[in-house]
Amino acid sequence: MEILLQILVGFVPAAIGFLAARSLARTRLFLRYGFLRALLGPYGRVQIVTPSIEAAEFAYAKDGCRLTSRGPRNVLFMPMAEARAIAQLIDLLRKINRKATIELVTAGAQDPRMPTFSIGGPSVNAYSAGVLAVGFPDFRLEHPQAARARWGGMAFEAQYNAADELVRDHGFVFVTRTSRQAPCVVLCGVFAFGSAMAVEALAAAGRQSPLAALFRSGEKGFVAVEGRVIGLDTVDVTVEVCRILPAG
């Protein structure tokens, strides 16, 4: 009995310490991402509009032979970097609210009553194209004719190396409202790596950062980030521009 009592006496402080540490970590997380909690407010559901590319046919290798596959029209594809961005965004939203319902939808199924995150630019996401055309008409993506975007007299140029690999990309965050006044955030890039960089910038934003201040303000805004691309990974992502814009 004494041994059991000693075990319990030793276990209780350890359990209290564990719970206290967990509570402290959770509090720090809430404080760090309070800007996103302020944006999403009381909403218990969030939707992510996914990018998609209809590929009528594509080539692949099997047993040393190159074959061509034709698939159904509703089997869609997306750039890998933007698929990773979706996974990172879901992880971030789960940290903010573990009980939130997160729905992945296509452009035609977006519900304007719900907070909306749209991944990918106009070439792969029709919903993003509509939001940018109406809310941010000064923004221009010149891809694929050129590897750049333009906004407000500024040019954001992607860079290649001698092997024709992308080594630097730019990502963008557009903060606005849906037609039913729910929060709406478009995350895209010159190329797909820029979309991933935009999500990374959200995840890395500090409480006192301009990006966090933009989200807390509830105002319309524009953010540009840049970073290096090494193989299939993105590194050294930094915020270039962060502006609150006039409503309208």
Side-chain angles (χ1 to χ4, degrees), residues 5-79:
L5 185 60
Q6 289 175 1
I7 292 174
L8 288 173
V9 168
F11 174 77
V12 169
I16 292 174
F18 171 78
L19 293 174
R22 187 173 179 179
S23 176
L24 180 61
R26 190 70 182 162
T27 299
R28 286 175 175 170
L29 196 64
F30 280 3
L31 290 174
R32 177 177 179 180
Y33 294 120
F35 66 95
L36 279 173
R37 292 177 62 85
L39 179 80
L40 299 176
Y43 295 97
R45 296 168 64 207
V46 179
Q47 60 190 343
I48 299 174
V49 184
T50 63
S52 60
I53 301 170
E54 181 183 327
E57 61 181 46
F58 60 93
Y60 68 99
K62 183 178 181 181
D63 299 329
C65 300
R66 287 188 65 81
L67 305 173
T68 299
S69 175
R70 288 182 173 272
R73 290 193 60 188
N74 61 335
V75 176
L76 303 175
F77 301 83
M78 71 176 68

Side-chain angles (χ1 to χ4, degrees), residues 79-230:
M80 189 187 73
E82 288 176 335
R84 186 179 70 189
I86 292 170
Q88 291 174 323
L89 179 58
I90 291 173
D91 182 61
L92 178 59
L93 294 174
R94 287 283 183 223
K95 288 178 180 177
I96 297 166
N97 185 354
R98 288 176 292 180
K99 296 181 180 179
T101 299
I102 301 172
E103 301 177 7
L104 300 181
V105 301
T106 56
Q110 184 267 350
D111 184 346
R113 297 170 298 178
M114 292 171 56
T116 301
F117 290 84
S118 188
I119 303 291
S123 62
V124 295
N125 191 320
Y127 181 77
S128 294
V131 172
L132 297 183
V134 173
F136 303 87
D138 293 337
F139 180 77
R140 290 285 184 272
L141 261 176
E142 299 180 355
H143 165 71
Q145 292 81 11
R148 75 174 69 90
R150 295 185 185 275
W151 181 79
M154 291 180 283
F156 305 92
E157 190 97 26
Q159 297 176 10
Y160 296 81
N161 62 15
D164 202 33
E165 297 173 328
L166 192 69
V167 294
R168 182 169 294 276
D169 202 358
H170 298 264
F172 309 101
V173 183
F174 300 88
V175 184
T176 184
R177 295 274 169 177
T178 69
S179 60
R180 297 289 293 273
Q181 296 305 304
C184 177
V185 181
V186 173
L187 303 120
C188 64
V190 177
F191 292 97
F193 286 107
S195 300
M197 291 174 183
V199 176
E200 288 176 34
L202 280 186
R207 282 189 292 165
Q208 305 304 320
S209 67
L211 195 154
L214 166 62
F215 274 69
R216 279 196 301 268
S217 74
E219 301 292 334
K220 181 179 177 181
F222 169 79
V223 180
V225 305
E226 69 170 340
R228 294 191 298 131
V229 181
I230 301 177

